[in-house]
Amino acid sequence: MNLRALCEIASNCIQCPLYESRMNVVFGEGRCDADIMLIGEAPGKTEDETGKPFVGMSGKLLSEIISDAGLDRSDIYITSIVKCRPENNRKPRKLEYSKCISLYLRKQIDLINPDIIGLLGNSAIYALIGKKNIKQIHGETYEVNGRKYIALFHPAAALYSRALLPLLKEDMIILKNAI
Ligand code: URA
């Protein structure tokens, strides 16, 4: 199975209740042999409308942080722990993200086989490496089941609290230097 075939399956997914309100499945975007993968929480309104990850306000900030770190967004594979937008941007529930991770995200990670995975925000961090409290662990790298992860603030958090922006920028440079 390649990424395209997996994306095709995901585009018809009805495995959790999130399918009922979605407009588009936001599978992910970027190089299928990327060295860096970034994983966020869930598609928002603009992502649901366009089918592309991180294209709304936090996506624009993410693009800026990526290029400030000297990276090219198109070289990175970007996705989220759930591929469908939860109504009113609520946090994805455990049953939703567990299913989506085992059906799609684990396979995406294995197919892309990145050197490092940046986890954007508490939801992705908890879902993938079981850690809480991003304020204490951001910028740290963790090896879990043979994969290297780094905990990063979610760009939406940096939009809300501008003091986090320099920290997110520094952590993106740590990520870049880890490959
Ligand atoms: N936030 C996310 O976590 N993922 C997206 O795709 C967009 C916003």
Side-chain angles (χ1 to χ4, degrees):
M1 163 106 54
N2 61 22
L3 265 187
R4 194 182 294 262
L6 189 62
C7 178
E8 184 63 35
I9 294 169
S11 69
N12 297 308
C13 186
I14 53 166
Q15 297 286 331
C16 90
L18 291 181
Y19 87 89
E20 289 168 11
S21 54
R22 74 166 179 240
M23 245 160 126
N24 284 293
V25 171
V26 184
F27 183 70
E29 183 179 66
R31 288 177 66 113
C32 55
D33 60 349
D35 293 334
I36 299 174
M37 220 171 143
L38 291 177
I39 303 177
E41 177 179 291
K45 186 169 185 290
T46 324
E47 290 78 17
D48 183 45
E49 284 165 2
T50 58
K52 290 181 186 300
F54 283 98
V55 288
M57 294 257 287
S58 45
K60 292 206 166 66
L61 183 59
L62 181 64
S63 296
E64 189 185 308
I65 292 158
I66 288 170
S67 74
D68 284 359
L71 294 163
D72 195 327
R73 179 169 165 153
S74 62
D75 288 336
I76 297 174
Y77 192 90
I78 303 179
T79 188
S80 298
I81 56 168
V82 295
K83 314 302 192 208
C84 299
R85 183 191 182 204
E87 326 87 298
N88 305 316
N89 297 341
R90 68 162 170 79
K91 288 199 179 301
R93 301 192 172 114
K94 187 166 178 126
L95 265 169
E96 295 161 348
Y97 69 71
S98 310
K99 189 144 239 175
C100 206
I101 289 172
S102 68
L103 285 171
Y104 306 115
L105 185 60
R106 291 272 175 232
K107 293 174 185 155
Q108 284 175 295
I109 294 172
D110 286 344
L111 287 164
I112 294 160
N113 195 23
D115 290 343
I116 187 151
I117 300 171
L119 300 173
L120 298 166
N122 273 318
S123 296
I125 293 167
Y126 185 68
L128 272 303
I129 60 171
K131 304 250 176 239
K132 292 184 176 169
N133 206 344
I134 191 166
K135 290 224 158 105
Q136 280 167 21
I137 65 161
H138 73 90
E140 298 287 326
T141 54
Y142 295 91
E143 190 137 347
V144 178
N145 296 327
R147 295 263 168 221
K148 207 154 76 173
Y149 296 91
I150 178 163
L152 305 170
F153 286 104
H154 194 287
L159 278 175
Y160 185 73
S161 169
R162 285 316 264 203
L164 299 179
L165 185 56
L167 302 177
L168 176 50
K169 289 190 173 188
E170 279 168 25
D171 294 344
M172 191 62 77
I173 293 168
I174 296 175
L175 182 157
K176 180 193 170 189
N177 292 335
I179 54 172

